[in-house]
Amino acid sequence: MTEELNPFEIAQRQLDEAAEFLGLEPGMHAFLREPMRELHVTLPVRMDDGSLQVFKGFRVQYNDARGPAKGGLRFHPNETIDTVRALAAWMTWKTAVVDIPLGGGKGGVVCNPKEMSQRELERLSRAYIRQVGRIIGPKSDVPAPDVYTNPQIMAWMMDEYSALQGHSEPGVITGKPLALGGSAGRMDATARGGMYCLREAGKVLGMDLKGATAAIQGYGNAGYYAQLLGEELLGLNVVCVSDSQGGIFCEDGLECQDVKGHKDETGTCVGLPDMETLSNEELLELDVDVLVPAALENVITAENAGRVKAKIVVELANGPTTPEADEILRKNGVYVIPDFLANAGGVVVSYFEGVQNAYNYYWDLEQVYEGLDSKMTAAFHAVHQMAQAKKVHNRLAAYLVAVVRVAGAVKLRGWV
Ligand code: GLU
């Protein structure tokens, strides 16, 4: 039998396991298995050469019982509605596990931003908001950056939404540039939250992380900052990183600013002088202490999970491990910090950004770090204690914490 790789079916399967464990009432279970709302849009965009290209886009509001839908927006050639549904479901559990008053949503546009000019990206971003603008807003659904989207794209989108409203509305989107109402500390928040979780994992496992070796798959925002902060906060020795072109390895550790400089210059970390090169598959199987998948979903599968040698996996990507792979890692004693806990730092600081926009009063970096640390540490230990108390693995424990909170809000509202 071939392994199921449809992310939404995987997300539903994970929920099913939690629902069964909790003895969730069947009506509630059926409701939580589906997105509450989704909008499919068609976006005609004038390209720089004068031609017209038509793009497909989506916004899924999975569940907003605990507060406005919240979640990123991806620009990716392989985007599908089922990927967006899965990511929106995971956002629902993510905001619940870190206990912030938000629901879960996600958006996506099928496009290849690497082949588009800045002006084309701006027109696409504005076209997306002209369609999706009717269902988003600070009180209903707040997008943010994700794979291949960035603060500049958030700025265009906020501006387009503001133009539709007739006044500036910074709270419609998070991950904005600082000059337009962004939050201090949002750029590295996803990786920082993951490193706080790893620090706590080191404590409960009695493992000294100083000098521990690490490999990071993916060198976008999360991957780059994971290297920087893994070294700075925990003293990790990052020996291998990769991007879509492949990976680089250096036994003595990679110099973060060299890798970043090379990537900024050439578009890839591959080719940094004097480094061994290896494939993304080889990176996952390296003999390191900590493995950080920080790219896309379904990279640790039934096929390669048995060869993962890391002691701890910190899932900074959404959905990097398939259910079959999960079971193999568990059997082999690998400690997994599951995605919607490990990568929740981004949405926590997005929440802080929304709060600052609403108050029109802005925090300093220290306040953001302190707030993020306390949210992530509390969430980590809530999951850890659940795992200990119920004798279940971390992912199921994270689901148990999150699903109880979301189901509780749904019940109180009287929806089910
Ligand atoms: N895209 C990020 C995530 O998957 C952040 C979402 C947000 O800030 O709303 O968690």
Side-chain angles (χ1 to χ4, degrees):
M1 207 181 85
T2 54
E3 193 179 11
E4 178 57 68
L5 295 179
N6 178 324
F8 186 46
E9 287 179 23
I10 289 177
Q12 288 184 315
R13 238 171 94 179
Q14 293 168 340
L15 172 69
D16 293 346
E17 192 187 350
E20 195 186 330
F21 194 92
L22 289 167
L24 206 63
E25 188 249 311
M28 178 69 80
H29 180 195
F31 178 64
L32 295 180
R33 285 185 104 242
E34 300 294 334
M36 290 179 66
R37 276 180 295 280
E38 52 187 53
L39 184 63
H40 296 223
V41 294
T42 302
L43 309 171
V45 175
R46 188 67 61 191
M47 306 306 276
D48 289 347
D49 65 3
S51 67
L52 189 91
Q53 216 167 302
V54 178
F55 295 91
K56 291 303 260 181
F58 314 104
R59 184 75 192 170
V60 174
Q61 297 172 346
Y62 195 86
N63 188 293
D64 56 7
R66 289 172 41 88
K70 185 81 192 84
L73 169 64
R74 309 204 306 183
F75 281 181
H76 199 277
N78 301 334
E79 200 63 278
T80 67
I81 184 61
D82 272 346
T83 320
V84 180
R85 285 175 181 140
L87 291 159
W90 289 325
M91 283 308 306
T92 305
W93 315 129
K94 191 181 306 190
T95 53
V97 86
V98 287
D99 205 9
I100 53 179
L102 296 168
K106 203 81 177 195
V109 176
V110 188
C111 68
N112 187 353
K114 289 184 181 168
E115 289 172 359
M116 295 170 71
S117 71
Q118 287 299 298
R119 288 192 313 173
E120 288 168 343
L121 280 174
E122 176 174 355
R123 287 194 287 268
L124 177 64
S125 302
R126 291 186 185 278
Y128 180 76
I129 293 301
R130 281 196 300 279
Q131 289 306 315
V132 173
R134 66 201 71 205
I135 63 160
I136 65 169
K139 291 185 182 152
S140 50
D141 181 3
V142 182
D146 203 285
V147 172
Y148 296 154
T149 54
N150 57 34
Q152 175 63 74
I153 290 173
M154 300 304 113
W156 290 323
M157 290 187 168
M158 186 276 271
D159 181 68
E160 190 67 25
Y161 184 82
S162 296
L164 291 171
Q165 301 298 308
H167 58 262
S168 193
E169 192 69 272
V172 68
I173 207 154
T174 60
K176 299 179 294 294
L178 274 178
L180 289 180
S183 176
R186 178 64 184 81
M187 274 311 274
D188 68 13
T190 303
R192 183 173 289 272
M195 292 305 118
Y196 290 155
C197 284
L198 178 57
R199 179 195 65 201
E200 296 307 303
K203 287 183 198 163
V204 301
L205 296 172
M207 184 172 156
D208 187 7
L209 292 166
K210 201 162 176 340
T213 52
I216 302 171
Q217 189 199 43
Y219 211 70
N221 176 284
Y224 160 63
Y225 282 112
Q227 182 185 9
L228 188 78
L229 296 173
E231 289 170 5
E232 189 185 306
L233 300 176
L234 306 175
L236 295 183
N237 177 25
V238 178
V239 294
C240 186
V241 302
S242 70
D243 58 32
S244 57
Q245 316 272 308
I248 51 173
F249 175 85
C250 176
E251 205 171 348
D252 298 329
L254 295 161
E255 199 50 60
C256 191
Q257 293 318 329
D258 291 352
V259 182
K260 172 85 164 98
H262 186 77
K263 169 112 185 162
D264 285 348
E265 222 171 90
T266 64
T268 173
C269 53
V270 179
L272 184 68
D274 304 326
M275 298 294 140
E276 262 177 68
T277 54
L278 76 188
S279 67
N280 267 294
E281 292 71 35
E282 289 168 319
L283 178 147
L284 297 170
E285 299 170 17
L286 274 179
D287 192 2
V288 286
D289 299 310
V290 179
L291 176 65
V292 184
L296 293 170
E297 54 280 356
N298 292 340
V299 294
I300 304 177
T301 63
E303 199 278 314
N304 64 4
R307 297 192 295 275
V308 169
K309 296 179 193 70
K311 298 179 187 74
I312 304 181
V313 175
V314 186
E315 295 183 335
L316 281 190
N318 289 306
T321 309
T322 65
E324 276 81 354
D326 235 354
E327 227 175 286
I328 297 169
L329 295 181
R330 214 172 303 145
K331 265 196 219 124
N332 292 345
V334 180
Y335 188 89
V336 176
I337 308 179
D339 54 0
F340 68 78
L341 168 64
N343 69 28
V347 77
V348 168
V349 177
S350 275
Y351 163 57
F352 295 160
E353 184 173 330
V355 169
Q356 293 168 78
N357 294 151
Y359 268 69
N360 201 16
Y361 179 80
Y362 289 82
W363 305 359
D364 59 27
L365 210 46
E366 285 316 307
Q367 193 173 350
V368 172
Y369 289 167
E370 221 178 276
L372 177 61
D373 198 346
S374 104
K375 279 281 174 208
M376 296 306 300
T377 302
F380 178 88
H381 288 285
V383 170
H384 178 69
Q385 276 157 22
M386 182 65 88
Q388 300 287 97
K390 305 286 181 195
K391 298 193 177 12
V392 296
H393 57 97
N394 285 342
R395 193 180 315 277
L396 178 55
Y399 266 96
L400 298 181
V401 171
V403 170
V404 165
R405 288 179 182 162
V406 176
V410 166
K411 191 102 198 150
L412 282 169
R413 280 179 183 270
W415 289 351
V416 167

